[in-house]
């Protein structure tokens, strides 16, 4: 793919338990997708202690893996390594025109868009959301693309990015009322507002390379989250309100869903293992594609 960037990604998830775990069944959502200008060239996953992995495809087209460990262990390390090639997106149109709202609203009850036009557990209507939209004068008017760009910019300016200020299960009210949150909170607010306008919107988990285009790895400690909205003539477009950016070749998509609940990197059930400590490390190393 001309102009594409190739990434070598290493993602390590390490659990330590205060008492032995007798059995663990865990779902992993860590394999990058292969669509929308993105090619997956290699993916491997290993665990310590070693455990068999089986793959499955969910209803949103994400590839997930299930691991089973049936012996005592006091720690679990999951390491995934991926090679992904990402093409730069086509330049955005200057304007879709105000008539595009009519087409967008015709999608609301369509089966193919139902999951992304209606409320979900973490992206839903609320009085706090309504008050925020009224205070910021957020309305579905003018050009749809320009309205979504303004929405993303408004969220960037309105909230403070504060690591640890919310948890994976925090409701939108936390960031709306406190003004602080992390990338998944920004994403959930944007999704809820876009859906209230009738725009299909979905949650994206993945990686963002924040270093230079080559050389040292990007300094990440976790996965990133952003939003994709479907628009006439443009299909799905990525918006990152956390960084006031439109998704481009710096973004590696792992999974899409209605909200975070559909695509956590790891989710499992344990027998034993009272208390746990989690550490995550991510390295994203870019290199020019051989096509360059």
């Amino acid at each position: 793919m001309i102009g594409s960037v190739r990434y070598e990604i290493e993602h390590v998830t390490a659990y330590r338990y205060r008492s032995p775990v007798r059995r663990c069944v865990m779902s992993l959502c860590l394999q990058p997708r292969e669509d929308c200008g993105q090619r997956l060239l290699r993916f491997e996953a290993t665990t310590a202690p070693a455990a068999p992995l089986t793959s499955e495809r969910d209803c949103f087209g994400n590839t997930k893996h299930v691991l089973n460990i049936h012996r005592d262990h006091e720690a679990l390390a999951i390491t995934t390594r991926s090679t992904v090639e990402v093409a730069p997106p086509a330049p955005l149109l200057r304007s879709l025109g105000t008539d595009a709202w009519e087409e967008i609203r015709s999608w609301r009850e369509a089966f193919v868009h139902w999951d992304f036009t209606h409320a979900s557990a973490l992206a839903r209507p609320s009085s706090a959301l309504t008050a925020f939209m009224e205070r910021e004068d957020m309305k579905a008017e003018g050009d749809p693309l320009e309205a979504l760009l303004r929405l993303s910019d408004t969220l960037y300016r309105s909230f403070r990015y504060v690591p640890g200020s919310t948890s994976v299960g925090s409701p939108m009210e936390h960031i709306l009322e406190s003004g602080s949150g992390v990338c998944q909170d920004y994403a959930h607010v944007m999704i809820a507002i876009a859906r209230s306008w009738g725009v299909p919107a979905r949650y994206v988990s993945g990686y963002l390379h924040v270093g230079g285009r080559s050389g040292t790895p990007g300094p990440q400690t976790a996965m990133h989250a952003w939003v994709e909205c479907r628009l006439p003539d443009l299909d799905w477009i990525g918006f990152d309100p956390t960084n006031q950016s439109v998704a481009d070749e710096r973004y590696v998509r792992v999974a899409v869903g209605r909200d975070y609940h559909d695509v956590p990197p790891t989710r499992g059930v344990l027998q034993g293992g009272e208390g746990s400590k989690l550490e995550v490390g991510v390295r994203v190393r870019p290199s020019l594609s051989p096509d360059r």
Side-chain angles (χ1 to χ4, degrees), residues 3-286:
S4 62
V5 180
R6 181 170 294 184
Y7 294 99
E8 301 290 339
I9 302 167
E10 182 181 76
H11 186 141
V12 180
T13 306
Y15 292 94
R16 295 188 179 276
Y17 308 104
R18 287 203 299 262
S19 61
V21 173
R22 295 186 296 278
R23 181 183 179 190
C24 168
V25 179
M26 187 171 290
S27 173
L28 313 179
C29 188
L30 293 166
Q31 178 172 316
R33 291 175 66 95
E34 189 162 18
D35 61 3
C36 298
Q38 180 173 295
R39 287 199 302 166
L40 178 63
L41 304 178
R42 176 181 69 109
F43 177 79
E44 62 181 29
T46 59
T47 67
L53 293 171
T54 57
S55 65
E56 59 186 22
R57 188 70 62 89
D58 72 9
C59 62
F60 301 114
N62 306 309
T63 299
K64 298 182 177 180
H65 294 81
V66 178
L67 69 85
N68 287 271
I69 301 176
H70 299 279
R71 60 184 183 279
D72 286 2
H73 56 284
E74 296 182 349
L76 169 62
I78 303 163
T79 302
T80 61
R81 296 181 176 88
S82 308
T83 303
V84 185
E85 197 170 88
V86 184
L92 289 179
L93 298 175
R94 282 186 151 188
S95 173
L96 300 178
T98 56
D99 292 344
W101 283 115
E102 184 175 348
E103 181 176 354
I104 289 170
R105 287 165 182 146
S106 73
W107 296 341
R108 180 171 175 78
E109 303 304 321
F111 177 77
V112 68
H113 295 309
W114 182 272
D115 286 325
F116 305 125
T117 55
H118 291 75
S120 58
L122 294 174
R124 50 173 175 68
S126 71
S127 57
L129 183 66
T130 299
F132 177 76
M133 293 173 65
E134 291 176 350
R135 185 169 65 251
E136 298 294 335
D137 194 28
M138 293 180 177
K139 298 176 182 177
E141 58 186 18
D143 179 78
L145 175 58
E146 292 174 358
L148 289 167
L149 289 169
R150 286 196 305 272
L151 170 58
S152 181
D153 290 347
T154 298
L155 299 184
Y156 174 81
R157 294 193 308 270
S158 299
F159 303 140
R160 301 181 307 279
Y161 183 85
V162 181
S165 58
T166 60
S167 67
V168 294
S170 294
M172 284 191 308
E173 285 74 14
H174 183 100
I175 189 171
L176 291 169
E177 294 170 0
S178 70
S180 61
V182 295
C183 57
Q184 69 193 32
D185 304 301
Y186 286 70
H188 288 146
V189 174
M190 183 164 181
I191 289 169
I193 294 175
R195 288 176 184 169
S196 76
W197 293 349
V199 178
R202 62 191 185 186
Y203 183 97
V204 189
S205 69
Y207 305 102
L208 169 61
H209 178 248
V210 295
R213 288 178 62 89
S214 61
T216 58
Q220 285 188 254
T221 57
M223 297 182 76
H224 188 48
W226 60 98
V227 179
E228 287 182 344
C229 296
R230 189 176 181 208
L231 293 168
D233 301 324
L234 294 177
D235 205 10
W236 292 98
I237 300 298
F239 299 88
D240 183 0
T242 308
N243 293 296
Q244 199 178 23
S245 174
V246 175
D248 54 24
E249 66 272 20
R250 297 171 298 161
Y251 292 75
V252 178
R253 303 161 70 254
V254 169
V256 301
R258 293 164 297 183
D259 56 39
Y260 173 85
H261 279 340
D262 288 329
V263 293
T266 59
R267 171 184 287 158
V269 178
L270 310 176
Q271 288 184 352
E274 299 272 338
S276 65
K277 180 180 180 181
L278 170 64
E279 294 182 355
V280 178
V282 173
R283 293 197 312 160
V284 181
R285 185 184 297 274

